[in-house]
């Protein structure tokens, strides 16, 4: 059975740790694994503009011995004349894996259901699981073992980063807090899924409307842009509602003295985070950005290994 990575809870805690362990190893020796040698091709599809995702996947695929085929949906049939499942059935005969940065989670699910090669969610409106692997790798590097760590996400709790933190953090055995105003809370279904995972891993999930209470004694403080792509017309409303959730030095002072500050970037400085925090000594955003490369390489190696094992068993 082909393994895909469409949302964070597609991995068990053991599997998540396997990938993070491999990421540590690949960061120490970038070229030790070459599963795409040949070279084989990986299709990397973009519905949205990108910097870190495009660079990290292109470089990572090359590091693994392969060729990244960068595709813009504006210049392809996907989403226009052709369904995701039909596109996937064509691509599986030519590529080793498919990476897609898109809008609707349903499109990724349709593509994965229609192909025998791994499909990776490089971002959707609902989840950003590759970013979370990089974030977990960064936390582990700076703070040690993940179980028992408390991470607080502030801002738009319904955004893909907040929802991925719930699932990936719970899987890791962390205590995940989401601080957001009413109307900006995560999906009830995602919260329930995270709570169910936490029961098996020793983690926990909590929702707050008070940012100060949510940050108190946190090991990691995280935020993301308040205005995601496609929501630019809501900026004034969002800034007015989310202003109390801005991460500044006063808010960071409520967390543990050695707490980390993280942001997946790009950052809208002065809105969700102040310059003194993002550029301060507690910020690990550049390590976090680099770790997209190592975490995604580990993910691809892991998925390709699983795919090879499945074909051998068949």
């Amino acid at each position: 059975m082909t393994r895909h990575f469409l949302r964070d809870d597609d991995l068990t805690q053991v599997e998540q740790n396997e990938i993070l362990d491999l990421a540590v190893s690949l960061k120490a020796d970038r070229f030790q694994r070459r599963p795409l040698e040949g070279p084989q091709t990986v299709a990397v599809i973009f519905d949205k503009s990108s910097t870190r995702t495009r660079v990290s996947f292109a470089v990572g695929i090359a590091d693994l011995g392969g060729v990244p085929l960068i595709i813009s949906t504006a210049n392809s049939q996907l989403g226009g004349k052709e369904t995701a499942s039909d596109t996937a059935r064509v691509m599986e005969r030519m590529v080793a894996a498919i990476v897609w940065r898109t809008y609707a989670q349903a499109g990724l699910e349709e593509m994965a259901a229609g192909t025998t090669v791994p499909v990776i969610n490089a971002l959707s409106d609902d989840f950003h699981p590759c970013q979370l692997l990089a974030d977990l790798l960064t936390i582990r590097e700076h703070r040690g073992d993940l179980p028992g760590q408390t991470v607080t996400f502030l801002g738009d709790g319904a955004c893909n980063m907040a929802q991925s933190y719930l699932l990936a953090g719970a899987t890791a055995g962390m205590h995940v807090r989401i601080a957001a105003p009413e109307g900006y809370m995560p999906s009830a279904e995602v919260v329930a899924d995270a709570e169910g995972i936490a029961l098996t891993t020793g983690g926990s999930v909590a929702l707050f409307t008070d940012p100060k209470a949510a940050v108190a004694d946190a090991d990691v403080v995280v935020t993301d842009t308040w205005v995601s792509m496609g929501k630019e017309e809501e900026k004034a409303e969002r800034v007015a509602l989310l202003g109390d959730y801005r991460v500044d030095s006063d808010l960071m002072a409520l967390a543990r003295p050695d707490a980390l500050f993280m942001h997946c970037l790009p950052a809208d400085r002065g809105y969700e985070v102040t310059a003194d925090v993002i550029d301060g000594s507690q910020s690990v955003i550049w390590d976090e950005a680099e770790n997209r490369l190592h975490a995604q390489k580990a993910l691809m190696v892991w998925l390709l290994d699983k795919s090879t094992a499945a074909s051998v068993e068949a």
Side-chain angles (χ1 to χ4, degrees):
M1 178 180 173
T2 304
R3 291 293 298 272
H4 305 290
F5 189 52
L6 308 184
R7 44 186 278 168
D8 308 80
D9 55 351
D10 284 339
L11 302 174
T12 66
Q13 187 176 32
V14 169
E15 291 171 340
Q16 186 188 76
N17 275 320
E18 288 174 355
I19 292 170
L20 293 176
D21 287 343
L22 182 55
V24 171
S25 179
L26 289 171
K27 188 170 183 177
D29 181 359
R30 278 180 58 170
F31 307 107
Q32 64 175 280
R33 295 293 303 270
R34 305 275 287 176
L36 294 171
E37 208 133 50
Q40 298 180 65
T41 300
V42 175
V44 189
I45 307 169
F46 289 93
D47 292 355
K48 297 183 176 185
S49 60
S50 167
T51 299
R52 278 149 293 276
T53 298
R54 184 183 298 267
V55 173
S56 57
F57 268 110
V59 173
I61 291 162
D63 282 1
L64 297 177
V67 173
L69 175 61
I70 307 297
I71 301 170
S72 168
T73 48
N75 299 314
S76 74
Q77 304 291 358
L78 178 60
K81 294 182 178 179
E82 191 166 60
T83 65
S85 58
D86 284 354
T87 297
R89 292 179 69 181
V90 171
M91 285 188 173
E92 72 179 4
R93 295 173 176 237
M94 306 180 196
V95 304
I98 301 170
V99 179
W100 192 9
R101 179 180 173 94
T102 187
Y103 292 92
Q105 184 74 15
L108 283 155
E109 293 169 357
E110 179 187 343
M111 180 170 281
T115 185
T116 57
V117 299
V119 175
I120 296 172
N121 178 359
L123 176 142
S124 71
D125 287 344
D126 293 339
F127 305 105
H128 200 352
C130 287
Q131 180 67 57
L132 259 291
L133 288 176
D135 284 17
L136 295 179
L137 177 60
T138 307
I139 295 167
R140 207 166 87 160
E141 286 177 340
H142 286 272
R143 292 204 52 86
D145 292 341
L146 297 174
Q149 300 275 352
T150 297
V151 56
T152 297
F153 181 94
L154 299 111
D156 181 359
C159 76
N160 50 19
M161 279 296 293
Q163 298 202 143
S164 273
Y165 255 102
L166 283 169
L167 296 180
T171 299
M174 302 173 77
H175 303 298
V176 183
R177 303 171 180 172
I178 305 295
E182 295 293 346
Y184 286 79
M185 287 295 179
S187 155
E189 180 182 349
V190 172
V191 172
D193 288 344
E195 288 174 337
I197 294 167
L199 289 174
T200 71
T201 63
S204 67
V205 171
L207 304 181
F208 292 77
T209 55
D210 181 351
K212 294 180 180 179
V215 169
D217 295 321
D219 298 293
V220 184
V221 177
V222 189
T223 192
D224 189 14
T225 180
W226 291 343
V227 186
S228 298
M229 283 179 280
K231 296 184 178 179
E232 289 81 4
E233 73 283 356
E234 300 175 16
K235 184 168 185 175
E237 176 187 351
R238 285 172 168 266
V239 169
L241 285 170
L242 295 169
D244 289 342
Y245 300 85
R246 178 180 293 111
V247 182
D248 57 20
S249 56
D250 289 339
L251 197 58
M252 281 297 297
L254 300 176
R256 290 174 57 93
D258 58 350
L260 307 178
F261 171 75
M262 301 180 70
H263 191 306
C264 66
L265 302 177
D268 203 354
R269 290 164 177 260
Y271 287 89
E272 72 269 12
V273 60
T274 56
D276 60 324
V277 171
I278 200 168
D279 295 325
S281 60
Q282 292 173 278
S283 174
V284 292
I285 60 168
W286 309 122
D287 292 342
E288 181 184 5
E290 178 192 342
N291 282 338
R292 289 289 301 276
L293 171 65
H294 310 300
Q296 287 162 187
K297 283 173 63 180
L299 173 67
M300 287 187 284
V301 170
W302 191 88
L303 288 172
L304 291 167
D305 282 350
K306 294 294 183 184
S307 180
T308 299
S311 64
V312 169
E313 291 172 4

